């Protein structure tokens, strides 16, 4: 079957841009992204909504071959199993390689076990290939995890307590370099990892909106605010990383909050502008950033 993307396609699409797993009326989706690098589609994180987000970008699901999961918080992998299963029902018949933290393969085994009746039925009744056999896993660790000619992926352990296996990713082709921060507290070392990238996709939260957010959530105690402050990055600090790294453009994703009508795009811009006056994208679901135009 014809591939959906051409060698001349170089873009990043932000499919889900809210931080955290909950969705509400009118909210955006949890985290997932598609990078198309010299026509090769790479899925980064699989929060709720990833499958619909990919097809809305024009991707044929049977082209699914490479997935990265940055860490095991549900807003980043809740839909990994459903994505692969749905791709299988859409005609997937080629290997899928998943790079993720230790434990991601156990998630997959348990997902397949939970869908055992349906999967066996479709193999027997519809002649589908063996789903489990199509998928392989590599545990992420720091360093270079893919080094093909014209396509390299390197991995950096960020800081997102209490998790330990939590990673930033850097994708390099002959034409472009793209870095995803993953979920992380402000980590100055990320500017070195992001050096001279065309695009840095960095998580961000808006300081002045956090008190209202904790009140709105309602069913937690002061641990939620403590978690936010020690595990995530303020928008102005994401700007600082971009400036120190000398990237061409910064895109904010994993926005916290994403659904407070009292705060909008201008608030995010103002926060980032304290340290970064270059090209800035405030992430929105479905936003496509053409790397060749940066
Ligand atoms: Zn997250
Ligand atoms: Zn997280």
């Amino acid at each position: 079957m014809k591939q959906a993307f051409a060698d001349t396609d170089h873009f990043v699409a932000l499919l889900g841009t809210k931080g955290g797993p909950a969705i509400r009326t009118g909210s955006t989706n949890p985290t997932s992204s598609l990078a198309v690098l010299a026509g090769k589609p790479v899925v980064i994180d699989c929060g709720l909504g990833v499958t619909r987000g990919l097809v809305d970008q024009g991707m044929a699901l049977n082209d699914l071959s490479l997935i990265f999961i940055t860490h095991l918080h549900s807003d980043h992998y809740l839909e990994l199993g459903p994505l692969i299963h749905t791709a299988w029902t859409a005609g997937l018949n080629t290997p899928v390689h998943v790079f993720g933290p230790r434990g991601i393969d156990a998630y997959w085994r348990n997902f397949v076990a939970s869908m055992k009746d349906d999967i066996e039925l479709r193999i027997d009744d519809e002649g589908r290939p063996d789903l489990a056999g199509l998928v392989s896993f590599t545990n992420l660790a720091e360093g270079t995890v893919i080094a093909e000619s014209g396509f390299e992926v390197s991995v950096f352990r960020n800081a997102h307590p209490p998790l330990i296996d939590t990673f930033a990713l850097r994708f390099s082709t002959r034409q472009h370099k793209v870095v995803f921060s993953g979920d992380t507290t402000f980590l100055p070392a990320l500017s070195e990892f992001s050096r001279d990238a065309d695009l840095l996709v960095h998580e961000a939260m808006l300081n002045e909106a956090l008190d209202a957010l904790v009140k709105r959530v309602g069913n937690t105690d002061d641990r939620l605010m403590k978690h936010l402050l020690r595990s995530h990055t303020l928008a102005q600090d994401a700007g600082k990383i971009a400036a120190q790294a000398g990237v061409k453009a910064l895109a904010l994703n994993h926005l916290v909050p994403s659904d407070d009508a009292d705060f909008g795009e201008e608030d995010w811009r103002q926060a980032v502008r304290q340290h970064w006056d270059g090209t800035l994208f405030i992430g929105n679901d479905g936003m496509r950033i053409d790397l060749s135009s940066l």
Side-chain angles (χ1 to χ4, degrees):
M1 178 177 281
K2 189 178 169 297
Q3 305 249 316
F5 301 115
D7 293 355
T8 48
D9 284 331
H10 313 275
F11 68 85
V12 168
L14 305 176
L15 310 178
T17 52
K18 82 178 287 293
I23 60 169
R24 301 180 177 86
T25 303
S27 82
T28 49
N29 273 326
T31 304
S32 62
S33 302
L34 168 67
V36 172
L37 301 167
K40 184 186 185 72
V42 185
V43 178
I44 298 105
D45 282 334
C46 290
L48 200 63
V50 62
T51 312
R52 171 54 60 186
L54 290 172
V55 297
D56 284 352
Q57 288 296 322
M59 180 167 164
L61 290 180
N62 52 9
D63 285 344
L64 189 68
S65 65
L66 189 54
I67 300 174
F68 286 82
I69 301 295
T70 58
H71 66 295
L72 297 187
H73 270 148
S74 60
D75 50 325
H76 299 256
Y77 75 109
L78 189 66
E79 200 172 300
L80 172 65
L83 167 63
I84 298 172
H85 184 286
T86 305
W88 176 67
T89 64
L92 180 77
N93 199 16
T94 45
V96 175
H97 199 143
V98 181
F99 288 81
R102 275 173 296 181
I104 193 69
D105 52 340
Y107 157 86
W108 170 251
R109 278 197 308 276
N110 289 321
F111 172 80
V112 169
S114 76
M115 296 299 296
K116 180 172 178 287
D117 289 353
D118 173 87
I119 292 168
E120 287 179 354
L121 185 70
R122 290 182 194 281
I123 291 172
D124 285 348
D125 190 43
E126 301 174 2
R128 306 276 180 181
D130 173 36
L131 174 59
L134 289 176
V135 187
S136 60
F137 291 86
T138 300
N139 288 338
L140 284 175
E142 280 200 304
T144 301
V145 294
I146 296 180
E148 294 167 4
S149 107
F151 184 71
E152 222 179 82
V153 184
S154 40
V155 175
F156 182 74
R157 191 182 297 273
N158 58 23
H160 187 50
L163 294 181
I164 293 166
D165 271 358
T166 160
F167 300 98
L169 305 168
R170 180 182 174 100
F171 299 89
S172 308
T173 64
R174 288 193 183 87
Q175 296 89 355
H176 300 289
K177 303 181 195 79
V178 180
V179 173
F180 289 82
S181 71
D183 282 13
T184 182
T185 192
F186 173 47
L187 190 62
L190 261 180
S191 62
E192 191 51 47
F193 185 67
S194 309
R195 180 74 56 210
D196 298 329
D198 296 86
L199 177 66
L200 168 62
V201 180
H202 203 294
E203 73 128 275
M205 60 182 179
L206 197 59
N207 196 22
E208 58 265 39
L210 296 182
D211 281 336
L213 179 149
V214 169
K215 263 196 208 106
R216 213 167 53 241
V217 171
N219 66 348
T220 66
D221 54 24
D222 62 344
R223 279 172 291 186
L224 176 58
M225 180 63 95
K226 283 186 184 146
H227 163 80
L228 289 172
L229 294 174
R230 78 183 178 126
S231 302
H232 295 282
T233 302
L234 295 175
Q236 51 266 46
D237 289 330
K240 206 181 271 180
I241 299 281
Q244 285 170 357
V247 299
K248 285 187 189 162
L250 168 65
L252 301 186
N253 78 342
H254 202 275
L255 301 179
V256 174
S258 63
D259 54 359
D260 186 336
D262 291 339
F263 300 95
E265 182 154 334
E266 202 37 49
D267 298 287
W268 290 101
R269 287 191 183 277
Q270 265 181 25
V272 175
R273 289 295 177 223
Q274 295 176 34
H275 299 288
W276 169 254
D277 58 6
T279 303
L280 174 64
F281 301 90
I282 311 297
N284 217 323
D285 290 11
M287 174 183 274
R288 191 188 274 215
I289 300 168
D290 180 2
L291 298 171
S292 305
S293 71
L294 298 176

